[in-house]
Amino acid sequence: METQKGLETFRAALCRRHLAVTSQRMKIARAVLEAQDHFTADALLARLKADGARVGRVTVYRTLKVLLEAGLVEERAFDKGRVAYERALGRSHHDHMICVTCRRVIEFESARIEREQRRQAQACGFEVLTHQHTLFGHCRGCRAKRGNGSKA
Amino acid sequence: METQKGLETFRAALCRRHLAVTSQRMKIARAVLEAQDHFTADALLARLKADGARVGRVTVYRTLKVLLEAGLVEERAFDKGRVAYERALGRSHHDHMICVTCRRVIEFESARIEREQRRQAQACGFEVLTHQHTLFGHCRGCRAKRGNGSKA
DNA sequence: AGAATTTATGAAACTAACTTTCAATCATGG
DNA sequence: CCATGATTGAAAGTTAGTTTCATAAATTCT
């Protein structure tokens, strides 16, 4: 499974930063690498606790930072005031559409957009590390339910 | 000036919502419509207070919400945990590159990206209301200063 | 005009999402 | 088995934003 590769990368990241491989850190990393969708730090903590792990909020945040810098998770700003995390390993880069009604998240990918984005950055002498591209609107389902007929 | 047109739109928005045109609301709207760059709600409040206006935080937030729904300002999620606002009137839509070192904000515009984005949304039956496209990285200046030579 | 009713305002209290602090715990080497 | 240093997490602090509610201002009624 991909998780194993991720855990190795995580170990290496800890090593590079002279941090010990502890059971808490490994548990958090494993939970993150196995996550199937977006999650908040607090949701992650809750899940770990529900699974009987003895970890604190602080350690979760600290470990997420390491995972982030190792490129194993990415941060998203879907809702204001809170950060959503998303596993980055084993998934191609993608962007998001958020339904403002039902909060559903639809992923999309466009090589054309990525290419044009790279061109734009290059023109400004800007080196892109990460990016976020999010569309907010109404998903098909919510449009069907109402507000669809007249205004498009 | 564009500000006048914005104030008219704001008045109309207040009217539509059966809200009175008060001096506080007008002062806030004027400050927003005259803002040249991105600002946070608290920074706006501080500026108004510095200018001698007697307004409270609550009224600022409430008024920003009206301005937002009237399309006169847009929200941005540049830094996590805080919302930046940006005047929307009299400016064409644009996206941003944020230098993670110096926090400089560079604006860019790409019809090609907008078009492709619309295509992607359409393919999913998604109706786009707003979007945000932000690149995080190193600006030309910060690249020149260091970390440029070897790694690209 | 003055009373009654409605609406707006903002200080203070609250909340949510983190972050910082620090005493206790744990691991490792000697 | 003790000393040293890293790790942990509870509790306190911080920040951005929201809710509550008493007061103030405006509007309507008579």
Side-chain angles (χ1 to χ4, degrees):
Chain A
M1 224 210 274
E2 220 114 32
T3 305
Q4 287 313 315
K5 211 174 81 186
L7 289 175
E8 272 325 297
T9 309
F10 179 61
R11 264 173 217 278
L14 288 177
C15 185
R16 195 170 336 113
R17 299 162 136 255
H18 308 291
L19 295 173
V21 175
T22 65
S23 74
Q24 283 93 333
R25 284 176 182 156
M26 291 313 280
K27 270 178 200 153
I28 295 166
R30 179 178 297 275
V32 166
L33 292 166
E34 286 174 347
Q36 285 314 307
D37 46 10
H38 313 92
F39 55 91
T40 62
D42 269 7
L44 174 62
L45 174 65
R47 230 193 72 199
L48 283 161
K49 283 199 165 163
D51 289 359
R54 300 247 305 86
V55 292
R57 202 200 346 273
V58 190
T59 306
V60 166
Y61 278 106
R62 277 191 293 234
T63 307
L64 277 171
K65 198 182 281 184
V66 177
L67 288 161
L68 194 65
E69 286 171 20
L72 293 168
V73 266
E74 287 181 7
E75 288 183 339
R76 306 287 177 190
F78 293 156
D79 292 300
K80 62 177 164 184
R82 68 161 39 148
V83 176
Y85 294 88
E86 178 175 2
R87 175 179 112 242
L89 183 78
R91 324 192 57 197
S92 56
H93 178 81
H94 56 269
D95 294 304
H96 302 84
M97 306 182 202
I98 313 280
C99 177
V100 298
T101 308
C102 68
R103 284 281 132 193
R104 195 154 79 93
V105 177
I106 301 160
E107 301 182 346
F108 72 96
E109 235 180 296
S110 164
R112 209 173 298 185
I113 289 179
E114 306 279 315
R115 199 183 318 124
E116 173 66 8
Q117 171 186 293
R118 224 174 302 125
R119 252 176 36 85
Q120 290 279 338
Q122 214 154 47
C124 299
F126 191 88
E127 178 198 358
V128 179
L129 295 175
T130 61
H131 77 267
Q132 246 185 251
H133 190 174
T134 310
L135 320 185
F136 295 91
H138 300 301
C139 73
R140 198 197 301 272
C142 291
R143 285 176 72 195
K145 268 176 224 148
R146 62 185 231 90
N148 190 16
S150 52
K151 48 186 71 171
Chain B
M1 221 211 274
E2 220 113 32
T3 305
Q4 287 313 317
K5 211 173 82 185
L7 289 176
E8 271 324 298
T9 309
F10 178 60
R11 264 175 217 277
L14 287 177
C15 186
R16 195 168 339 113
R17 299 164 133 256
H18 308 292
L19 295 173
V21 175
T22 65
S23 76
Q24 282 93 334
R25 285 176 180 154
M26 290 315 278
K27 270 179 201 153
I28 295 166
R30 180 177 297 276
V32 166
L33 291 166
E34 285 173 350
Q36 286 313 307
D37 45 10
H38 312 93
F39 55 91
T40 62
D42 269 6
L44 173 62
L45 174 64
R47 231 194 69 200
L48 283 161
K49 282 198 166 162
D51 290 359
R54 300 246 306 88
V55 293
R57 203 202 346 275
V58 189
T59 305
V60 167
Y61 278 107
R62 276 191 293 233
T63 306
L64 277 172
K65 197 181 281 185
V66 176
L67 288 162
L68 195 64
E69 287 171 17
L72 292 167
V73 267
E74 287 182 8
E75 288 184 339
R76 306 289 178 189
F78 293 156
D79 292 300
K80 63 178 164 182
R82 67 159 41 147
V83 175
Y85 294 88
E86 177 176 3
R87 175 181 112 242
L89 184 77
R91 326 192 56 199
S92 56
H93 177 81
H94 57 268
D95 294 303
H96 303 84
M97 306 183 200
I98 313 279
C99 178
V100 298
T101 307
C102 67
R103 285 280 131 193
R104 194 154 79 92
V105 176
I106 301 160
E107 301 182 347
F108 73 96
E109 235 181 296
S110 165
R112 208 173 299 186
I113 289 179
E114 306 278 317
R115 199 181 321 122
E116 173 65 9
Q117 171 185 293
R118 224 174 303 124
R119 252 176 36 85
Q120 291 279 338
Q122 215 155 47
C124 299
F126 191 89
E127 178 197 359
V128 179
L129 295 175
T130 60
H131 76 268
Q132 245 186 252
H133 191 175
T134 309
L135 319 185
F136 296 91
H138 300 301
C139 73
R140 200 198 300 273
C142 290
R143 285 175 72 194
K145 268 177 224 149
R146 64 184 229 89
N148 189 15
S150 53
K151 48 186 70 175

